[in-house]
Amino acid sequence: MILLTGGAGFIGSAMLAKLNQEGIDDIVVIDSLKSSEKWKNLQGKSFIDYLDKSQLMSSIDKFEHVEAVIHMGACSATTELDADYLMNNNFKYSRDLAEWSVKNNARFIYASSAATYGDGSLGYSDESIDGLRPLNMYGYSKQLMDEYIKRTKLDSKVAGFKFFNVYGPNEYHKGSMKSVVYKAFHQILETGTVSLFKSYHPNYADGEQKRDFIYVKDVTDVMFKFLVNPEWNGIYNLGTGSARSWNDLAKAVFMAMGKTVNIDYVEMPSNLRGKYQYFTQADGRRLHETTGVIMNTLEEGVRDYVTNHLSKKNRYL
């Protein structure tokens, strides 16, 4: 049996689809649906039970033969300001699940974030955990979990992933946190243009701010490899290792849609300017050495997302 937290969310439901694709459906999905549209991510998927997140820790000992806990259930909003909520949800909840998993000999895989790297001035090496300075409370909550895993030496027993900029199907419920690929697709349909933030950094032209964009199908392929290779442990960057500009991303969407490139540069909200990352790029050497995985390029991932999901009536994995 696999316990999949956040199983109705973006990456969690994509992982559920990957597990089903591999013939695995002995899965308990844990999430908090409330009034969101996340439930749509579960349609067409196979799993044996659903449990509300609030009930997990009080009932977890009732589950028998748990082989793995895949923990994707956390607040992923970088703009969340409730520090107590983030501390409880992203750190303490994750810590308790890690401890339970190790104690019960269950494989534990969890989501960290590239937000732990802050402004990037200390680099993006996943061999360096201590001393990082995230720019927001979301990143700090993820940093606390990574530090705990290293401090208690659980990094020799569990696997954590610092997700970079993930995009792809099943992100539709995420509101303002949806990827720019999704937003650009709909902007092009409605207006024929894509709006990108102007640059406020002398080293970057407008739209040339760079991110490590990774397709969600690559993310789930990597996580599945770690699931079936329990000897692979540690905290890894999960990105392509190749930074691309917002201009590149917008052009990839126009190309996938067969449209003429038309980009409009707009002012960045003042509250973001001091916290904005102008460059992120995963140091993916350890991940590649461990898995040998080859990622989709930005153009390949965007084309698959646009043509096989966003343009279809059934957009879901």
Side-chain angles (χ1 to χ4, degrees):
M1 178 190 296
I2 294 174
L3 303 183
L4 176 59
T5 75
F10 171 30
I11 298 175
S13 65
M15 189 62 187
L16 178 59
K18 175 65 175 178
L19 292 170
N20 285 175
Q21 180 185 329
E22 297 292 338
I24 299 170
D25 60 8
D26 189 16
I27 304 161
V28 176
V29 170
I30 296 105
D31 212 308
S32 179
L33 297 176
K34 296 184 178 177
S35 59
S36 76
E37 294 286 289
K38 284 194 292 184
W39 64 270
K40 294 182 178 179
N41 287 337
L42 297 177
Q43 291 187 110
K45 312 295 192 304
S46 296
F47 51 97
I48 58 172
D49 205 356
Y50 173 86
L51 185 68
D52 188 88
K53 170 194 162 186
S54 63
Q55 302 171 15
L56 177 59
M57 295 314 298
S58 61
S59 59
I60 194 168
D61 289 326
K62 297 177 184 177
F63 293 110
E64 296 180 352
H65 311 300
V66 176
E67 297 177 9
V69 176
I70 302 176
H71 181 39
M72 298 292 109
C75 173
S76 59
T78 58
T79 54
E80 176 61 58
L81 299 177
D82 188 334
D84 289 327
Y85 170 69
L86 288 168
M87 191 68 79
N88 288 318
N89 194 69
N90 288 8
F91 171 52
K92 293 183 179 180
Y93 179 46
S94 301
R95 177 198 63 194
D96 293 348
L97 273 177
E99 291 177 349
W100 184 92
S101 299
V102 172
K103 179 181 176 182
N104 289 275
N105 298 310
R107 181 71 165 132
F108 185 71
I109 295 173
Y110 78 96
S112 181
S113 172
T116 57
Y117 290 117
D119 62 7
S121 60
L122 298 176
Y124 294 94
S125 171
D126 52 15
E127 296 182 278
S128 302
I129 300 297
D130 296 333
L132 296 179
R133 294 291 182 268
L135 296 176
N136 51 47
M137 182 58 205
Y138 163 75
Y140 180 58
S141 68
K142 293 293 190 178
Q143 173 70 4
L144 284 174
M145 179 61 179
D146 292 346
E147 289 176 343
Y148 163 78
I149 292 296
K150 294 286 285 189
R151 184 174 63 252
T152 57
K153 296 183 169 50
L154 289 183
D155 55 325
S156 65
K157 300 178 181 179
V158 310
F161 296 104
K162 291 176 180 279
F163 295 130
F164 277 68
N165 285 67
V166 186
Y167 66 95
N170 294 22
E171 64 170 318
Y172 315 123
H173 63 283
K174 290 176 66 68
S176 64
M177 298 304 295
K178 288 193 285 282
S179 73
V180 173
V181 178
Y182 176 94
K183 294 175 181 177
F185 175 81
H186 289 281
Q187 284 182 12
I188 293 168
L189 281 182
E190 294 168 11
T191 68
T193 65
V194 169
S195 296
L196 299 176
F197 286 142
K198 292 180 179 178
S199 172
Y200 300 84
H201 192 296
N203 295 343
Y204 295 87
D206 291 342
E208 287 301 304
Q209 309 95 315
K210 290 180 169 62
R211 293 285 185 278
D212 192 332
F213 304 104
I214 181 168
Y215 195 31
V216 72
K217 293 181 182 180
D218 290 322
V219 167
T220 57
D221 283 350
V222 168
M223 290 200 296
F224 186 77
K225 285 179 179 289
F226 273 79
L227 177 66
V228 298
N229 288 280
E231 71 278 11
W232 295 355
N233 293 300
I235 300 172
Y236 291 81
N237 284 331
L238 191 38
T240 64
S242 177
R244 302 292 300 276
S245 71
W246 293 109
N247 285 330
D248 289 338
L249 182 146
K251 290 173 184 176
V253 179
F254 279 110
M255 185 184 308
M257 296 176 69
K259 303 285 189 180
T260 302
V261 175
N262 186 4
I263 301 173
D264 180 35
Y265 300 103
V266 299
E267 300 292 339
M268 185 186 299
S270 58
N271 64 313
L272 292 181
R273 294 180 193 179
K275 300 179 179 179
Y276 190 79
Q277 291 176 302
Y278 278 82
F279 179 90
T280 67
Q281 178 174 281
D283 180 340
R285 288 174 293 182
R286 288 177 59 241
L287 183 71
H288 183 73
E289 289 168 3
T290 301
T291 67
V293 69
I294 298 175
M295 308 285 187
N296 283 287
T297 65
L298 176 63
E299 287 76 13
E300 290 167 342
V302 168
R303 182 169 60 249
D304 182 76
Y305 187 20
V306 168
T307 59
N308 294 322
H309 298 281
L310 291 176
S311 298
K312 302 292 186 181
K313 185 174 182 180
N314 180 10
R315 306 174 296 172
Y316 294 86
L317 280 169

